[in-house]
C-alpha cells in the first residue's frame, strides 16, 4: 500500500508494488490484491456492471416498506367517514412525489462517479453543512419554538438533516485516511470527537434533541466500528453515565417534562402526558389483528396527536394490530441487515464506515420513534423512516440509502470478482 | 472484505459489525416484547380505554308512571319542563356582524333580552360559561320557561340561530295539596335511598319518591332509562350514534282513594274545631282505603320547583307537622274508641253476659284512688249496650278488673292494635299496646292494677294510629276479619279475567255472633240512641254505628269535688275521636277520625265523619260531585307564570 497521502501508516500496510505507477502521480490509490480483486480506488465500473451490482434487494425492501407507509398514511390523514377523500389523495400524491424525488436521488448517488468520489468531497460537504448550521444559528427562521430552518427564497432547508449525512462521510474519511490500527485510543479520537461535537452543539442549541441524539449515537457507532479500543469504550461509557446529571441540567424545560411524563404519564393526563397515554391506548387497543383499515377510533377521532408524522406508528398499531407492527419491524430489520451485509463486504474502510453509519442512522431512528410511541422512550421529535409524512427526512434517508448502494456496487459481490 | 486492510482489522471489524447487528436485534426484540405486552396482554384494557374515549353516553330519561284515583281521574302526571338551550357555535357563525369584533353570541343574547327579560348579570354569566366550554356544546340559558316566553320564542325561532327549546319531563301534581300524604313527594336521591332500593340503579341527581305512594311504589312507577351511545371525537363533538336503548316508561298506578271524599275529608278536618287531624275511610270487607286524609297538607309541586328558604323553614317548623301523615304516623291514646276491645275481651272470656249491669256513681275507688267517669253525676245502673252508647267509664273500670290487662292486651292485638297495619306505605308507626312484659322490659317495673283501669278506657300507655283504629272498627263491623289496608289497586295480571275474589283477611277473630251483635247494638245506640254520644251526627237516610272518644293529652286537673278544670292551652286540649261504620246492618264503609285538640269526640270528630260518609252515600245514589281543585286553586303558586303554564298543560286540548 503506497498511497501518497502523508499520514497513512506505512508500517501497518503490507508492501505492495503499485500496479500502475501513473496512478500514484494522479493522486489515486491503487490496491492490487492477490488476484482476488482487481479493483482499486481509481476504478470506475461500466454502467452495465454498476447496474448488475446495484443492491436491488435493498431497493425492493425500501419500496415494500414505503408502500405500506403510504397505506398507513392514507388512513392517518383521512377523516373517519371518508368525507376528506380528496385531501387523502393529495397527501398521498405529495408523499409519493417526495419518494420519487428521493428515489431518483438514490439512483444518482448510487451510480454516480468513481469509487472514491464521495471520499474526496467528504470534508468539503461536512464544511458546507457546518457553515449552514452556523447560518441557521445566526439567521434561521423560528418555527414552533425552534430555530431549525434556513429560508433561501424559494425553499426552506433544514441543515441538520444534511449534517447527519455529511458527518458520517467526514468520520469515515478520517478513519479511512488514518488507517488506524485496531484498538486506537486518545490519539485518533480527538478529531472525530470534534467533528461530532461542533454540529451537535449547534443542533442542540436550535433546539433539536431528536436530531442531536441521533447524530451523537451515529457518530459513536462509527467510531466504535472504526476500531476504538475496548478500554476506551468502557471508559467513555463510564464517563457518559457520570455526565448524565450534567446533561440533565442542560436540558430545556420541555425536554425534561417529556422525560418526567414518560415514566409517569398518568401524572398529567391532560397536559404533557396526554400524547403518551393516547398513543399507548391506540397501540394497545389494536390487539392482535387491529381494528381494520380506516377503522381506528383513536386515530380518526383526533385522540392521537401528530398521527401522520411522529406518531404514525400508533395508527399502524391500532388498525393493523400486533401482526402489522411485527411485519413492519421485520421489514425494518431486513433493511438493516441488508445494509450491514453491504458494510461487511465493503472494499475499504470508507465504504465500511459510511454503510455502517447510514444503516445505524436508519435503525436508530426506527428504534427511537417506535420506542417513544409505545411509551418506552421520551417523546423526541424523530419521524419514523419511510412511513412518517414529511419530505426532508425521507429524502435524506433515500440519499443515504443511495450512498449505501454505492458502497454495495463497489464491493466484492458474493465472491464474484470484479 | 476490506482486502486492502490488515487482517487484524478485518477480523475486528467483522466482530464489531456482528456486535452492532446483535444490538439492533436486541433493541428490536425489546420493542417487539413491549408491543406483545401492550397489544396482546393488555389489549383488552386498552380497548376499553379507547372505547371510553370515543363513546359518550347520553341518558334518555324514562317517564315516571302516572297516578290516578279510583275513578281514573289523573292525579299526577309528567309535564314537559321547557328549557331554552343555545348552541353558541351556530349563533357565532350566523350572527357575525359586519363590523369587526361583533360577537355573535352576545348579539343573540341581545335579541333574547326583551323576550326573556335577561338581566345584565345573567348575560355576563352566560358569556363566561360559554367561554369555558366548546362552542358546539349546548348551553342551557333558562329552565321553567313560561308559556308566554315559550310562544314569544317559538314565533321568532328563525331569527334566533342556535336557539332550541328542549322539554324535560317534570313531575306535576294536578291536585296540589289534595291527598298529598297519600301521593307523597319526591326528592333528590341519597345514599340511603340507594340502600333502600338496592335493585334500582340510581344516578346522582335522580329524583326518588320520598313519601307516600311515590315512595312505596317507586319500583313500579320508575321506568328504565334509555341510553344513547354516541361516538365522539377528542373534542367531544358527536360523530355518530352507535346504539340507542329506548327508555321503558314506568307503570301507571291507580289508587283506591276517591278524590271527592278525600277532598271533603280534608275540608271537614280543616274546618273542625282543632283544624288538624286525620281521617281514614276504609272498606271493612277488604281493607281498601277510600280516604286517607291528614291535615295540614303540603304542596308536593314545591318539592319539584323548589322552595323559597323561608317557605321550607315554615314547613318543617310548623308545630302541626304538615309533612307527617297523621293517619299512619300520628299515635294517639284511642280513648273511648278502645272500649269495644274490652267488651269483646270480656265476652270472649265469659266475664260478661248480655244482662249484666254495673252501677255507676260517677267514680270508682281503687286503693284510695278515685277513678272518675266522664259523667260526674254517674250513669246509675247501666247495661252493656248503654255503657257503650253513653261511654260509661265506670262500667269499663269494672270490666278491667274482670278481664285483666292480659286479656285486654290479647284482644287488642287480635284487632290490629299495637302492631303495624301493613299498609302499602312506608313510615307507618306501630302505636303501643302495653302488657305486663312490655312494662317490665321498658319501664323495669311491675304492672299496677290501676293501670289496667285506665287502659280499659283507652288512656295511659295505649297508643294507636287512626289507621289501626280503622282496621279495628272494620274488624268489628265485618264480624272479626282483620284486613291489611291498601290504597294502591293491585296490578291486574290478566285483564280478561279480573280477580273476582277480594283480598283475604290477615286473620279472623271468629267472634261469636251473639257477642258481636251486642257490640254492634251498643255502637248503633251511640248514634241512634237517645243518650248516644254521637246522636247529633246521624247520617242522611243511612243508619250508622260508631263510637266516640275523647283522648286525653295531659293529665286532667280536677277540683276537690272532682269537677274538671279545662285547660286554656290549646296544645293540652283533648283529641276528639270517632270510629264508625255504615250502613249499620250491612257495612260498606268504616271510618276513623281524629281531630287534634278538638275536644269531645261526639261534638267534634263525629260531625267530620258524618260529612264524609254523607257524601259517600250521596255519591252512591248518583249525585253529581262538585269539581275537584287543580293545583293552582288548591295552592296558589308563588310565581303566577308557573301556574299559568300548568293550567295550560293540564288542558288535554
Amino acid at each position: 500500500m503506497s498511497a501518497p497521502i502523508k499520514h497513512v501508516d506505512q508500517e501497518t500496510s503490507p508492501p505492495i508494488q503499485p500496479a500502475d505507477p501513473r496512478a500514484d502521480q494522479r493522486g489515486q490509490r491503487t490496491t492490487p490484491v492477490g488476484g482476488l480483486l482487481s479493483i482499486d480506488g481509481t476504478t470506475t465500473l461500466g454502467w452495465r456492471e454498476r447496474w448488475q451490482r446495484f443492491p436491488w434487494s435493498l431497493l425492493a425492501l425500501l419500496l415494500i416498506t414505503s408502500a405500506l407507509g403510504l397505506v398507513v398514511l392514507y388512513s392517518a390523514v383521512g377523516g373517519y367517514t371518508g368525507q376528506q377523500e380528496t385531501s387523502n389523495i393529495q397527501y398521498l400524491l405529495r408523499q409519493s412525489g417526495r419518494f420519487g424525488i428521493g428515489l431518483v436521488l438514490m439512483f444518482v448517488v448510487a451510480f454516480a462517479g468513481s469509487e472514491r468520489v464521495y471520499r474526496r468531497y467528504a470534508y468539503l460537504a461536512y464544511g458546507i453543512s457546518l457553515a449552514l448550521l452556523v447560518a441557521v444559528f445566526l439567521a434561521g427562521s423560528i418555527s414552533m419554538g425552534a430555530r431549525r430552518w434556513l429560508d433561501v427564497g424559494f425553499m426552506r432547508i433544514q441543515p441538520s438533516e444534511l449534517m447527519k449525512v455529511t458527518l458520517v462521510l467526514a468520520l469515515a474519511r478520517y478513519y479511512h485516511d488514518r488507517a488506524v490500527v485496531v484498538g486506537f485510543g486518545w490519539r485518533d479520537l480527538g478529531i472525530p470527537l470534534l467533528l461530532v461535537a461542533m454540529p451537535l452543539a449547534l443542533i442542540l442549541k436550535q433546539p433539536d434533541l431528536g436530531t442531536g441524539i441521533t447524530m451523537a449515537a451515529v457518530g459513536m457507532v462509527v467510531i466504535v466500528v472504526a476500531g476504538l479500543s475496548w478500554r476506551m469504550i468502557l471508559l467513555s461509557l463510564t464517563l457518559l453515565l457520570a455526565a448524565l446529571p450534567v446533561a440533565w441540567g442542560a436540558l430545556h424545560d420541555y425536554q425534561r417534562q417529556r422525560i418526567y411524563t414518560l415514566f409517569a404519564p398518568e401524572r398529567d393526563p391532560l397536559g404533557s402526558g396526554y400524547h403518551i397515554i393516547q398513543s399507548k391506548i391506540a397501540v394497545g387497543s389494536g390487539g392482535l389483528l387491529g381494528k381494520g383499515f380506516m377503522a381506528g377510533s383513536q386515530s380518526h377521532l383526533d385522540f392521537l396527536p401528530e398521527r401522520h408524522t411522529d406518531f404514525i406508528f400508533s395508527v399502524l398499531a391500532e388498525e393493523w394490530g400486533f401482526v402489522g407492527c411485527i411485519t413492519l419491524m421485520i421489514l425494518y430489520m431486513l433493511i438493516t441487515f441488508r445494509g450491514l451485509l453491504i458494510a461487511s463486504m465493503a472494499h475499504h474502510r470508507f465504504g465500511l464506515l459510511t454503510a455502517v453509519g447510514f444503516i445505524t442512522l436508519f435503525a436508530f431512528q426506527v428504534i427511537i420513534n417506535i420506542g417513544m410511541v409505545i411509551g418506552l422512550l421520551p417523546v423526541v421529535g424523530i419521524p419514523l423512516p419511510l412511513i412518517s409524512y414529511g419530505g426532508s427526512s425521507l429524502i435524506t434517508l433515500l440519499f443515504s440509502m443511495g450512498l449505501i448502494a454505492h458502497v454495495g456496487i463497489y464491493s466484492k459481490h458474493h465472491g464474484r470478482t470484479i | 472484505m476490506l482486502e486492502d486492510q490488515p487482517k487484524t482489522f478485518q477480523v475486528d471489524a467483522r466482530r464489531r459489525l456482528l456486535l452492532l447487528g446483535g444490538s439492533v436485534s436486541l433493541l428490536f426484540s425489546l420493542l417487539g416484547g413491549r408491543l406483545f405486552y401492550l397489544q396482546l396482554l393488555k389489549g383488552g384494557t386498552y380497548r376499553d380505554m379507547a372505547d371510553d374515549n370515543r363513546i359518550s353516553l347520553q341518558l334518555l330519561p324514562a317517564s315516571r308512571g302516572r297516578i290516578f284515583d279510583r275513578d281514573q281521574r289523573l292525579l299526577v302526571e309528567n309535564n314537559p319542563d321547557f328549557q331554552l338551550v343555545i348552541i353558541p357555535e351556530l349563533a357565532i357563525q350566523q350572527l357575525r356582524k359586519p363590523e369587526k369584533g361583533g360577537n355573535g353570541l352576545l348579539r343573540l343574547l341581545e335579541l333574547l333580552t326583551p323576550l326573556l327579560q335577561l338581566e345584565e348579570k345573567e348575560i355576563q354569566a352566560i358569556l363566561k360559561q360559554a367561554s369555558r366550554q366548546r362552542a358546539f356544546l349546548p348551553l342551557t340559558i333558562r329552565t321553567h320557561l313560561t308559556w308566554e316566553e315559550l310562544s314569544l320564542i317559538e314565533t321568532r325561532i328563525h331569527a334566533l340561530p342556535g336557539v332550541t327549546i328542549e322539554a324535560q319531563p317534570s313531575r306535576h301534581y294536578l291536585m296540589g295539596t289534595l291527598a298529598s300524604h297519600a301521593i307523597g313527594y319526591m326528592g333528590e336521591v341519597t345514599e340511603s335511598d340507594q340502600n333502600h332500593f338496592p335493585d334500582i340503579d340510581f344516578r346522582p341527581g335522580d329524583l326518588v319518591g320520598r313519601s307516600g305512594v311515590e315512595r312505596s311504589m317507586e319500583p313500579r312507577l320508575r321506568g328504565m332509562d334509555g341510553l344513547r351511545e354516541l361516538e365522539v371525537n377528542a373534542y367531544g363533538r358527536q360523530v355518530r350514534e352507535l346504539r340507542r336503548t329506548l327508555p321503558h316508561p314506568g307503570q301507571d298506578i291507580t289508587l283506591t282513594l276517591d278524590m271527592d271524599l278525600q277532598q271533603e275529608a280534608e275540608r271537614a278536618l280543616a274546618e273542625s274545631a282543632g283544624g288538624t287531624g286525620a281521617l281514614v275511610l276504609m272498606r271493612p270487607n277488604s281493607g281498601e282505603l277510600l280516604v286517607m286524609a291528614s291535615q295540614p297538607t303540603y304542596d308536593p309541586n314545591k318539592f319539584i320547583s323548589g322552595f323559597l328558604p323561608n317557605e321550607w323553614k315554615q314547613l318543617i317548623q310548623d308545630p302541626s307537622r304538615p309533612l307527617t301523615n297523621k293517619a299512619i304516623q300520628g299515635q294517639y291514646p284511642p280513648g273511648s274508641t278502645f272500649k269495644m276491645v274490652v267488651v269483646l275481651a270480656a265476652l270472649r272470656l265469659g266475664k260478661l253476659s248480655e244482662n249484666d249491669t254495673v252501677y255507676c256513681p260517677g267514680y270508682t275507688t281503687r286503693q284510695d284512688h278515685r277513678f272518675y267517669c266522664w259523667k260526674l253525676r254517674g250513669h246509675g245502673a247501666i247495661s252493656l249496650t248503654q255503657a257503650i252508647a253513653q261511654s260509661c267509664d265506670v262500667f269499663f273500670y269494672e270490666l278491667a278488673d274482670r278481664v285483666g290487662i292480659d286479656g285486654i292486651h290479647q284482644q287488642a292485638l287480635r284487632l290490629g292494635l299495637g302492631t303495624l297495619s301493613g299498609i302499602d306505605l312506608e313510615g307507618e308507626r306501630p302505636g303501643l299496646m302495653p302488657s305486663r312484659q312490655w312494662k317490665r322490659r321498658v319501664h323495669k317495673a311491675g304492672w299496677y292494677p290501676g293501670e289496667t283501669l285506665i287502659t280499659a278506657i283507652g288512656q295511659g300507655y295505649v297508643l294507636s294510629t287512626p289507621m289501626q283504629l280503622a282496621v279495628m272498627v272494620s274488624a268489628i263491623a265485618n264480624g272479626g276479619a282483620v284486613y291489611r289496608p291498601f290504597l294502591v289497586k293491585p296490578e291486574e295480571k290478566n285483564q280478561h279475567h279480573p280477580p273476582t275474589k277480594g283480598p283475604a283477611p290477615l286473620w279472623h277473630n271468629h267472634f261469636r255472633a251473639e257477642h258481636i251483635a251486642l257490640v254492634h247494638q251498643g255502637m248503633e245506640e251511640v248514634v241512634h240512641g237517645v243518650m248516644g254520644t254521637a246522636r247529633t251526627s246521624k247520617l242522611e237516610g243511612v243508619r250508622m254505628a260508631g263510637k266516640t272518644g275523647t283522648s286525653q293529652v295531659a293529665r286532667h286537673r280536677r277540683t276537690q269535688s272532682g269537677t274538671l278544670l279545662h285547660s286554656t292551652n290549646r296544645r293540652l286540649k283533648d283529641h276528639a275521636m270517632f270510629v264508625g261504620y255504615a250502613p249499620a246492618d250491612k257495612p260498606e264503609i268504616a271510618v276513623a277520625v281524629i281531630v287534634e285538640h278538638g275536644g269531645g269526640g261526639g261534638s267534634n270528630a263525629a260531625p267530620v265523619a258524618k260529612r264524609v260518609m254523607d257524601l259517600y252515600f250521596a255519591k252512591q245514589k248518583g249525585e253529581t260531585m262538585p269539581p275537584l281543585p287543580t293545583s293552582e286553586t288548591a295552592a296558589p303558586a308563588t310565581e303566577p307564570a308557573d301556574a299559568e303554564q300548568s293550567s295550560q298543560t293540564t288542558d288535554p286540548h
Side-chain angles (χ1 to χ4, degrees):
Chain A
M1 189 171 176
S2 58
I5 302 155
K6 287 195 169 61
H7 45 255
V8 168
D9 199 339
Q10 299 281 353
E11 280 75 33
T12 59
S13 305
I16 312 162
Q17 283 297 312
D20 178 5
R22 281 168 304 174
D24 268 349
Q25 286 154 19
R26 289 198 301 270
Q28 289 161 338
R29 196 176 348 168
T30 53
T31 357
V33 179
L36 268 173
L37 203 75
S38 60
I39 183 174
D40 69 11
T42 64
T43 309
T44 304
L45 293 170
W47 288 107
R48 211 172 139 253
E49 194 81 22
R50 290 187 218 176
W51 183 261
Q52 282 169 352
R53 288 166 158 269
F54 186 85
W56 294 105
S57 56
L58 181 67
L59 180 70
L61 286 168
L62 292 176
L63 284 172
I64 293 168
T65 312
S66 297
L68 182 65
L70 288 178
V71 170
V72 178
L73 181 69
Y74 181 85
S75 177
V77 295
Y80 201 17
T81 46
Q83 72 268 40
Q84 291 171 315
E85 295 286 352
T86 49
S87 89
N88 278 14
I89 299 292
Q90 274 174 7
Y91 269 99
L92 224 57
L93 288 178
R94 217 175 295 159
Q95 188 69 1
S96 309
R98 285 167 186 159
F99 190 75
I101 294 170
L103 221 53
V104 170
L105 203 61
M106 180 179 168
F107 275 103
V108 170
V109 169
F111 287 103
S114 67
E115 182 263 342
R116 57 166 293 181
V117 60
Y118 298 111
R119 194 164 75 223
R120 174 182 282 171
Y121 298 113
Y123 284 147
L124 181 64
Y126 177 86
I128 292 170
S129 304
L130 196 63
L132 286 172
L133 270 182
V134 172
V136 166
F137 178 64
L138 296 176
S141 57
I142 297 176
S143 161
M144 299 206 295
R147 193 188 288 271
R148 292 178 190 171
W149 291 270
L150 210 54
D151 272 314
V152 279
F154 60 97
M155 62 180 286
R156 297 199 323 167
I157 56 171
Q158 200 175 333
S160 55
E161 287 292 331
L162 205 58
M163 195 70 234
K164 284 195 271 191
V165 179
T166 52
L167 174 68
V168 171
L169 290 175
L171 286 174
R173 166 79 187 270
Y174 175 81
Y175 284 112
H176 180 89
D177 287 353
R178 296 285 291 169
V180 289
V181 282
V182 173
F184 59 83
W186 286 114
R187 233 186 72 211
D188 292 302
L189 196 56
I191 289 169
L193 276 187
L194 197 67
L195 287 176
V196 177
M198 285 188 298
L200 188 62
L202 287 166
I203 284 169
L204 289 179
K205 201 77 200 162
Q206 287 182 350
D208 187 348
L209 189 61
T211 310
I213 287 175
T214 313
M215 207 179 284
V218 169
M220 227 171 61
V221 169
V222 171
I223 293 172
V224 166
V225 175
L228 184 66
S229 73
W230 295 108
R231 222 176 44 212
M232 285 300 297
I233 294 174
L234 215 67
L235 185 69
S236 33
L237 277 180
T238 320
L239 279 176
L240 198 71
L241 283 177
L244 272 183
V246 183
W248 180 255
L251 286 179
H252 275 257
D253 209 35
Y254 80 97
Q255 291 164 336
R256 268 186 237 171
Q257 205 58 40
R258 282 174 180 179
I259 295 171
Y260 282 136
T261 50
L262 170 75
F263 296 111
E266 289 75 16
R267 220 179 50 157
D268 187 9
L270 294 177
S272 43
Y274 182 82
H275 286 196
I276 294 179
I277 292 173
Q278 294 303 336
S279 176
K280 272 163 77 177
I281 291 174
V283 172
S285 63
L288 178 66
L289 296 171
K291 298 176 185 171
F293 180 58
M294 299 292 281
S297 63
Q298 287 288 104
S299 321
H300 289 285
L301 297 173
D302 294 336
F303 290 100
L304 209 54
E306 308 280 345
R307 61 173 193 271
H308 63 291
T309 55
D310 289 358
F311 281 84
I312 198 165
F313 186 80
S314 310
V315 179
L316 172 88
E318 187 182 20
E319 297 191 346
W320 300 97
F322 187 66
V323 171
C325 293
I326 293 302
T327 306
L328 180 67
M329 279 170 48
I330 287 174
L331 282 171
Y332 279 139
M333 285 188 77
L334 288 176
I335 294 172
T336 306
F337 286 129
R338 185 70 189 90
L340 286 177
L341 192 68
I342 290 172
S344 75
M345 291 194 300
H347 179 45
H348 43 62
R349 287 194 190 200
F350 183 78
L352 165 76
L353 294 179
T354 46
V356 163
F358 292 135
I359 217 65
T360 304
L361 189 64
F362 170 80
F364 187 80
Q365 291 186 60
V366 170
I367 289 163
I368 296 285
N369 178 278
I370 296 180
M372 92 187 182
V373 161
I374 64 181
L376 277 179
L377 296 170
V379 176
V380 289
I382 290 182
L384 186 63
L386 297 169
I387 311 280
S388 282
Y389 182 76
S392 54
S393 85
L394 180 67
I395 288 171
T396 309
L397 180 83
L398 290 173
F399 183 82
S400 64
M401 287 295 161
L403 285 167
I404 293 175
H406 185 82
V407 174
I409 287 171
Y410 288 97
S411 71
K412 175 187 165 197
H413 197 269
H414 296 294
R416 200 181 124 241
T417 56
I418 297 175
Chain B
M1 73 180 260
L2 300 169
E3 287 75 7
D4 63 339
Q5 302 298 326
K7 195 74 187 164
T8 47
F9 182 80
Q10 288 181 29
V11 173
D12 185 67
R14 189 166 290 149
R15 204 159 58 196
R16 286 172 195 244
L17 279 179
L18 276 174
L19 186 70
L20 181 61
S23 308
V24 170
S25 307
L26 187 75
L27 289 171
F28 267 91
S29 36
L30 210 69
L31 296 180
R34 172 74 170 177
L35 283 168
F36 182 84
Y37 171 79
L38 286 179
Q39 297 191 294
L40 300 187
L41 299 185
K42 290 271 176 175
T45 315
Y46 283 111
R47 190 145 199 140
D48 289 346
M49 286 167 84
D51 282 346
D52 276 355
N53 264 346
R54 80 186 170 101
I55 296 172
S56 151
L57 300 177
Q58 203 180 65
L59 211 62
L60 298 171
S63 65
R64 197 173 170 83
R66 294 169 299 169
I67 301 178
F68 297 88
D69 87 337
R70 67 181 299 115
D71 297 331
Q72 292 301 318
R73 280 176 288 196
L74 187 57
L75 305 180
V76 185
E77 65 170 351
N78 304 297
N79 267 353
D81 171 35
F82 293 101
Q83 305 184 339
L84 185 91
V85 176
I86 61 178
I87 296 167
E89 188 180 57
L90 296 175
I92 291 165
Q93 282 166 6
Q94 295 174 34
L95 279 178
R96 199 175 288 135
K97 285 178 110 182
E99 70 263 30
K100 250 182 127 183
N103 181 334
L105 182 59
L106 187 62
R107 178 87 196 97
L108 177 67
L109 293 175
E110 279 166 9
L111 289 174
L112 286 171
T113 300
L115 307 178
L116 294 176
Q117 268 73 49
L118 285 177
E119 283 166 26
E120 186 56 31
K121 229 165 66 186
E122 277 182 275
I123 293 179
Q124 289 310 319
I126 292 163
L127 288 175
K128 201 171 164 195
Q129 178 63 33
S131 67
R132 265 191 251 129
Q133 66 181 43
R134 296 191 181 272
F136 55 82
L137 293 177
L139 194 64
T140 304
I141 302 292
R142 265 285 171 84
T143 57
H144 307 305
L145 283 180
T146 66
W147 282 89
E148 196 184 343
E149 289 168 338
L150 198 61
S151 56
L152 279 173
I153 287 161
E154 286 288 2
T155 49
R156 290 164 182 76
I157 198 98
H158 300 295
L160 301 169
V163 169
T164 49
I165 303 287
E166 285 183 4
Q168 292 272 337
S170 161
R171 204 72 168 152
H172 180 55
Y173 302 89
L174 277 78
M175 302 289 162
T177 62
L178 186 60
S180 53
H181 296 99
I183 293 168
Y185 60 89
M186 300 190 67
E188 216 165 278
V189 69
T190 64
E191 206 181 319
S192 65
D193 294 318
Q194 180 66 76
N195 295 335
H196 190 83
F197 299 109
D199 295 341
I200 302 176
D201 192 12
F202 289 106
R203 290 181 178 80
D206 273 4
L207 291 182
V208 63
R210 267 287 142 69
S211 74
V213 169
E214 288 275 36
R215 173 108 184 149
S216 64
M217 293 292 120
E218 176 75 29
R220 268 172 71 185
L221 285 168
R222 185 182 197 82
M224 284 274 285
D225 286 339
L227 214 55
R228 239 152 70 92
E229 278 180 41
L230 298 174
E231 188 167 68
V232 295
N233 68 9
Y235 312 108
R237 189 192 287 271
Q238 179 182 340
V239 177
R240 61 183 166 138
E241 184 176 301
L242 296 173
R243 205 181 327 161
R244 181 195 286 249
T245 322
L246 289 175
H248 267 289
Q251 278 180 48
D252 289 347
I253 280 189
T254 304
L255 300 183
T256 60
L257 300 184
D258 182 320
M259 282 305 126
D260 295 318
L261 302 181
Q262 177 81 24
Q263 179 179 225
E264 186 66 14
E266 287 181 10
R267 281 191 187 156
L269 283 169
E271 291 160 11
S272 68
T276 68
L279 185 147
V280 174
L281 192 73
M282 188 191 271
R283 289 226 183 268
N285 295 313
S286 62
E288 186 178 347
L289 292 165
L290 296 177
V291 174
M292 185 179 69
S294 175
Q295 269 292 8
T297 56
Y298 59 88
D299 183 1
N301 287 308
K302 280 279 167 202
F303 288 86
I304 303 294
S305 62
F307 288 92
L308 300 174
N310 63 323
E311 277 180 334
W312 174 245
K313 213 169 152 187
Q314 265 177 22
L315 193 64
I316 56 170
Q317 288 180 350
D318 189 334
S320 57
R321 293 170 295 137
L323 290 179
T324 304
N325 182 1
K326 297 189 170 83
I328 60 170
Q329 293 173 320
Q331 303 183 108
Y332 311 92
S336 300
T337 57
F338 188 71
K339 284 173 177 168
M340 283 82 78
V341 176
V342 183
V343 169
L344 284 165
L347 288 169
R348 178 186 283 252
L349 295 172
K351 301 284 168 71
L352 179 67
S353 66
E354 189 183 344
N355 302 317
D356 282 0
T357 56
V358 169
Y359 182 77
C360 168
Y363 61 90
T364 186
T365 311
R366 296 285 187 283
Q367 278 113 29
D368 302 331
H369 186 84
R370 239 175 216 202
F371 293 86
Y372 287 95
C373 184
W374 66 268
K375 195 172 179 183
L376 278 178
R377 287 182 284 118
H379 289 96
I382 193 157
S383 68
L384 163 60
T385 48
Q386 281 309 307
I388 294 175
Q390 300 182 33
S391 202
C392 174
D393 292 333
V394 170
F395 184 90
F396 289 92
Y397 296 146
E398 171 65 26
L399 286 193
D401 278 346
R402 294 189 197 174
V403 178
I405 184 61
D406 297 329
I408 297 173
H409 172 78
Q410 206 180 8
Q411 186 57 62
L413 288 189
R414 296 276 296 159
L415 282 166
L417 297 174
T419 56
L420 294 172
S421 71
I423 187 176
D424 44 0
L425 289 178
E426 286 181 17
E428 190 189 6
R429 306 286 295 274
L432 177 63
M433 189 54 231
S435 65
R436 287 179 204 280
Q437 289 93 326
W438 169 83
K439 190 163 181 212
R440 190 161 298 126
R441 196 178 68 240
V442 176
H443 290 275
K444 312 269 184 268
W447 186 264
Y448 300 114
E451 289 172 338
T452 314
L453 264 62
I454 57 168
T455 303
I457 60 162
Q459 296 291 157
Y461 297 117
V462 57
L463 291 174
S464 61
T465 64
M467 188 59 65
Q468 288 172 328
L469 292 179
V471 170
M472 176 199 79
V473 75
S474 293
I476 292 168
N478 67 31
V482 172
Y483 287 94
R484 186 182 66 80
F486 63 95
L487 47 70
V488 175
K489 277 203 175 156
E491 281 178 87
E492 281 176 23
K493 295 268 188 308
N494 189 337
Q495 286 194 326
H496 302 289
H497 303 284
T500 45
K501 258 171 61 181
L506 295 172
W507 64 82
H508 203 290
N509 278 281
H510 298 295
F511 295 121
R512 285 169 64 176
E514 59 268 31
H515 293 169
I516 201 73
L518 280 172
V519 174
H520 286 171
Q521 198 187 329
M523 288 177 74
E524 215 173 320
E525 283 287 303
V526 169
V527 182
H528 294 281
V530 241
M531 300 289 282
T533 51
R535 60 184 178 274
T536 55
S537 297
K538 294 186 184 66
L539 300 186
E540 317 271 338
V542 179
R543 281 180 79 82
M544 168 166 74
K547 180 76 195 78
T548 60
T550 305
S551 150
Q552 207 174 302
V553 175
R555 176 177 270 277
H556 285 172
R557 286 179 301 152
R558 291 172 190 270
T559 59
Q560 283 292 308
S561 61
T563 317
L564 210 56
L565 288 172
H566 286 285
S567 171
T568 48
N569 187 343
R570 186 189 168 271
R571 291 277 135 212
L572 299 177
K573 216 175 154 190
D574 296 340
H575 296 315
M577 330 264 306
F578 182 79
V579 298
Y581 57 89
D585 51 342
K586 195 171 179 294
E588 281 178 34
I589 47 173
V591 72
V593 184
I594 174 161
V595 177
E596 286 182 322
H597 311 294
S603 46
N604 296 300
V608 172
K610 171 185 155 58
R611 272 180 68 173
V612 179
M613 290 170 108
D614 272 342
L615 189 71
Y616 169 83
F617 289 109
K619 198 175 173 183
Q620 290 298 103
K621 272 190 255 166
E623 282 181 28
T624 51
M625 295 290 116
L628 286 170
T630 47
S631 62
E632 52 273 20
T633 53
T638 43
E639 290 166 88
D642 274 358
E644 187 196 337
Q645 178 199 344
S646 45
S647 75
Q648 292 204 21
T649 47
T650 52
D651 180 30
H653 298 285

